[in-house]
């Protein structure tokens, strides 16, 4: 696999937009300042610090609660069209409910949105990027169906309060990670670890909550505010280890239906509801376990219709590709579990590496994913809402640049060769930040942040320069002046 060949296409189409992303809990800090309530990540990092690689937390993070003006200066320097950010639910509504509004939270986001507007940077705001108010978690969080109402109320509050300044909304960031990693495992807060059960209770509630927030905007706010609402779904794209092995080909498709299709199929497919193979596998395993009902609740007619079509764009977060190596129960699968329900053995032994064990560099997988989305979901308009590479924070981050360049080149290939409608691209992330359970040990930023200096100074990496040029020219660099200098042997 050679990814350094000169790109066939270099120019981005007219109207294609570029941005960078962050998430509130990863950058804001100020975790208990001026009325903010505790969220599930505050709770996890304070009560189970052993679960965070470097024992760190989001207490201070990159201190964007105080330093947001610096962030906006960096965004202006990069020349981005838009900034993808998220609201901290517990900063706005400390107990999660609308009977207790934190005025300081409203002030903070208004100032940030005004600073963006002053630089002509469009906000793209995510309502939920994983930081659930702990008060709602105490009631069961996303496993509690009443969350549909709490989320709709929160969305309503945000549309009403900030909707005049925001034209693009994302309801949920990465529903798979919310349900599987946080309820079906301990990889994300609140680390419920109800594998094979809590994960599916979560998806039932989350998809309904998403649909309600979408319909609310469409009916009540869109006529006045004229904006769009979407969801961002993460894909680990699965490919057969041996493409000539028919069983592996089928299983890779099954894995993609379980991973991306779990949330995309109910919203973007013609039929709606969960993918057939998911319904089948979970029902079969549930019966074998002696259960009376499938662990995966199906949507009835009302909800199938109500969830279908509730996203103006398909938001895709994409980082990596993994392999399916055969049938059976993956050695890492708990019982019961999502992975056991998939029924495939998976491997990360593909491409080149990064600082994150899960993140392998496989640009061709990105193109395959995008073509698959076009085929599976009737050619939806697509925004790439995250894409990025981790290292240990080097300033001369040649590998990040080559990752961006190769992945962007695949976007151009599918736009030009396959007519995939990719409308915009978002780099993850503006600056090194609190990388969840990895703490600050894995870094994805265009800007370096020195977390040992209390002033938390930000320094542009070489990739910031690359991204700035890319946006200014709307074109991949013809000659790669960002290539790592060859090491001369003496
Ligand atoms: C995104 O998740 C998030 O939206 C963003 O907040 C985050 O900072 C960024 O990517 C970089 O990670 O190693 O076994 O713990 C990407 C999806 C979810 C993929 C967690 C890797 C970790 C599995 N990621 N998963 S494990």
């Amino acid at each position: 696999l050679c990814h350094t060949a000169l790109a066939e296409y270099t120019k981005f189409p007219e109207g294609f937009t570029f941005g960078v992303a962050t998430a509130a809990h990863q950058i804001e800090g100020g975790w208990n300042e001026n009325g903010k309530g505790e969220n599930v990540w505050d709770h996890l990092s304070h009560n189970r610090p052993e679960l965070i690689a470097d024992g760190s937390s989001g207490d201070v993070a990159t201190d964007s609660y105080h330093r947001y003006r610096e962030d906006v200066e960096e965004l202006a320097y990069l020349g981005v069209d838009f900034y993808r950010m998220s609201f901290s639910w517990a900063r706005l509504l400390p107990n999660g409910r609308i009977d207790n509004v934190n005025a300081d939270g409203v002030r903070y986001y208004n100032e940030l949105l005004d600073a963006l507007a002053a630089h002509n940077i469009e906000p793209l705001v995510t309502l939920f990027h994983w930081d659930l108010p702990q008060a709602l978690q105490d009631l069961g969080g996303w496993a509690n169906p009443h969350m549909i109402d709490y989320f709709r109320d929160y969305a309503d509050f945000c549309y009403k309060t900030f909707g005049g300044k925001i034209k693009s909304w994302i309801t949920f960031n990465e529903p798979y990670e919310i349900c599987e990693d946080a309820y079906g495992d301990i990889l994300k807060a609140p680390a419920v670890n109800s594998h094979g059960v809590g994960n599916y209770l979560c998806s039932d509630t989350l998809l309904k909550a998403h649909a309600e927030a979408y319909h609310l905007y469409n009916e009540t706010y869109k006529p006045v505010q004229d904006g769009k609402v979407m969801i961002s779904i993460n894909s680990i794209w699965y490919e057969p280890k041996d493409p000539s092995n028919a069983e592996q080909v089928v299983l890779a498709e099954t894995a993609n239906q379980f991973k991306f299709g779990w949330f995309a199929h109910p919203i973007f497919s013609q039929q709606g509801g969960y993918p057939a193979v998911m319904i089948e596998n979970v029902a079969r395993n549930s019966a074998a376990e002696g259960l009376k009902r499938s662990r995966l609740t199906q949507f009835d007619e009302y909800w199938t219709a109500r969830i279908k079509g509730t996203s103006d764009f398909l938001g895709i977060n994409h980082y990596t590709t993994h392999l399916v190596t055969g049938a059976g129960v993956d050695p890492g699968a708990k019982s019961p579990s999502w992975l056991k329900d998939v029924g495939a053995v998976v491997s990360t032994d593909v491409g080149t590496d990064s600082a994150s064990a899960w993140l392998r560099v496989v640009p061709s997988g990105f193109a395959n994913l995008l073509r698959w989305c076009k085929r599976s979901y009737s050619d939806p308009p697509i925004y790439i809402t995250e894409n990025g590479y981790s290292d240990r924070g080097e300033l001369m981050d040649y590998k990040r640049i080559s990752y961006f360049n190769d992945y962007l080149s695949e976007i151009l290939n599918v736009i030009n060769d396959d007519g995939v409608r990719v409308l915009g691209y978002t780099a993850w992330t503006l600056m090194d930040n609190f990388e969840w359970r990895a703490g600050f040990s894995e870094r994805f930023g265009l800007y370096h942040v020195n977390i040992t200096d209390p002033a938390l100074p930000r320094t542009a990496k070489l990739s910031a320069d690359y991204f700035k040029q890319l946006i200014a020219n709307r074109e991949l660099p013809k000659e790669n002046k960002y290539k790592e200098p060859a090491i001369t042997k003496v």
Side-chain angles (χ1 to χ4, degrees):
L1 293 177
C2 174
H3 304 301
T4 48
L6 272 187
E8 193 177 343
Y9 306 105
T10 57
K11 270 224 157 296
F12 284 86
E14 193 65 34
F16 192 95
T17 56
F18 291 97
V20 297
T22 60
H25 190 76
Q26 296 181 270
I27 65 164
E28 284 182 4
W31 81 275
N32 61 356
E33 274 182 67
N34 300 327
K36 177 180 162 293
E38 185 190 36
N39 68 41
V40 294
W41 277 94
D42 298 323
H43 194 85
L44 185 87
S45 45
H46 297 158
N47 294 290
R48 301 177 73 182
E50 71 283 0
L51 291 183
I52 315 286
D54 54 6
S56 67
S57 72
D59 289 5
V60 178
T62 61
D63 198 26
S64 291
Y65 174 65
H66 298 108
R67 295 170 201 272
Y68 69 89
R69 289 188 191 282
E70 284 175 54
D71 298 352
V72 175
E73 289 306 320
E74 288 151 19
L75 294 164
Y77 173 82
L78 293 170
V80 294
D81 301 308
F82 64 90
Y83 177 44
R84 181 179 169 218
M85 52 177 272
S86 78
F87 284 162
S88 159
W89 188 339
R91 190 178 299 289
L92 290 165
L93 309 175
N95 65 17
R97 302 192 314 254
I98 50 166
D99 56 340
N100 179 13
V101 175
N102 180 26
D104 175 73
V106 175
R107 177 221 34 101
Y108 173 66
Y109 291 117
N110 269 322
E111 287 183 20
L112 173 53
L113 291 166
D114 292 345
L116 292 170
H119 287 88
N120 254 319
I121 298 164
E122 274 241 23
L124 164 56
V125 175
T126 308
L127 289 170
F128 187 76
H129 200 124
W130 305 355
D131 44 357
L132 190 71
Q134 183 62 34
L136 295 179
Q137 190 56 49
D138 292 341
L139 303 176
W142 294 109
N144 174 359
H146 293 280
M147 280 297 298
I148 300 163
D149 293 332
Y150 289 123
F151 184 72
R152 184 181 30 215
D153 290 350
Y154 165 58
D156 192 17
F157 169 80
C158 292
Y159 299 151
K160 192 184 313 157
T161 309
F162 303 106
K165 301 177 181 179
I166 296 164
K167 290 272 176 269
S168 308
W169 297 91
I170 293 171
T171 54
F172 287 94
N173 179 68
E174 301 188 347
Y176 171 96
E177 278 64 23
I178 296 165
C179 292
E180 178 57 24
D181 289 359
Y183 289 80
D185 209 317
I186 58 165
L187 297 171
K188 297 277 169 346
V192 175
N193 205 22
S194 170
H195 39 85
V197 178
N199 53 337
Y200 299 132
L201 295 182
C202 168
S203 67
D204 187 65
T205 304
L206 187 149
L207 280 158
K208 290 170 179 170
H210 159 79
E212 290 307 315
Y214 180 87
H215 288 299
L216 171 68
Y217 188 84
N218 234 21
E219 282 148 33
T220 309
Y221 292 94
K222 193 172 184 158
V224 204
Q225 298 179 353
D226 194 30
K228 307 270 193 189
V229 179
M230 65 172 148
I231 188 166
S232 287
I233 302 177
N234 182 51
S235 57
I236 281 176
W237 174 247
Y238 290 100
E239 301 206 337
K241 181 181 162 94
D242 172 5
S244 69
N245 178 316
E247 184 182 49
Q248 287 180 24
V249 171
V250 170
L251 285 168
E253 172 65 17
T254 299
N256 287 323
Q257 291 297 346
F258 262 85
K259 174 88 196 185
F260 199 83
W262 183 3
F263 295 93
H265 197 275
I267 300 174
F268 296 95
S269 73
Q270 293 295 321
Q271 314 92 291
Y274 291 123
V277 68
M278 247 189 121
I279 295 171
E280 215 178 282
N281 284 12
V282 185
R284 193 182 52 237
N285 287 351
S286 299
E289 290 148 16
L291 293 170
K292 280 186 168 173
R293 295 174 298 278
S294 175
R295 287 179 275 100
L296 180 69
T297 314
Q298 282 195 57
F299 297 111
D300 62 15
E301 243 175 77
Y302 171 83
W303 279 109
T304 302
R306 185 127 179 107
I307 293 167
K308 214 170 66 165
T310 54
S311 192
D312 296 322
F313 305 101
L314 172 56
I316 300 180
N317 290 3
H318 180 72
Y319 290 85
T320 197
T321 292
H322 292 173
L323 299 179
V324 164
T325 61
V329 181
D330 187 274
K334 296 166 188 164
S335 189
S337 66
W338 174 89
L339 186 51
K340 192 177 175 190
D341 291 334
V342 176
V345 181
V346 295
S347 154
T348 55
D349 187 14
V350 55
T352 56
D353 66 353
S354 70
S356 311
W358 57 270
L359 204 175
R360 309 293 301 188
V361 183
V362 191
S364 60
F366 192 19
N368 291 335
L369 162 71
L370 290 167
R371 284 188 285 258
W372 182 87
C373 284
K374 179 184 165 87
R375 276 200 312 277
S376 308
Y377 307 120
S378 319
D379 195 15
I382 294 171
Y383 275 94
I384 305 307
T385 42
E386 284 182 28
N387 176 239
Y389 176 84
S390 65
D391 57 17
R392 300 291 173 200
E394 297 86 307
L395 289 178
M396 301 304 276
D397 53 342
Y398 296 107
K399 286 185 175 158
R400 174 167 297 103
I401 293 169
S402 107
Y403 177 98
F404 281 142
N405 207 68
D406 291 343
Y407 276 67
L408 283 160
S409 175
E410 295 294 353
I411 292 178
L412 288 175
N413 288 341
V414 301
I415 290 176
N416 290 294
D417 293 342
D418 307 284
V420 181
R421 296 197 285 154
V422 185
L423 306 178
Y425 175 87
T426 319
W428 182 268
T429 176
L430 177 59
M431 61 200 148
D432 295 342
N433 57 42
F434 178 67
E435 178 52 26
W436 310 112
R437 283 197 49 196
F440 292 91
S441 68
E442 297 170 16
R443 291 169 172 241
F444 284 82
L446 298 171
Y447 279 78
H448 175 265
V449 179
N450 180 355
I451 57 157
T452 60
D453 180 337
L456 297 164
R458 284 91 152 120
T459 310
K461 300 178 187 176
L462 194 61
S463 59
D465 189 38
Y466 166 86
F467 206 58
K468 180 180 169 64
Q469 296 310 315
L470 169 79
I471 298 171
N473 300 332
R474 309 273 153 180
E475 184 171 19
L476 295 178
K478 291 221 173 63
E479 259 179 286
N480 196 352
K481 65 170 172 170
Y482 299 98
K483 234 174 118 173
E484 184 151 24
I487 298 163
T488 338
K489 280 194 184 152
V490 207

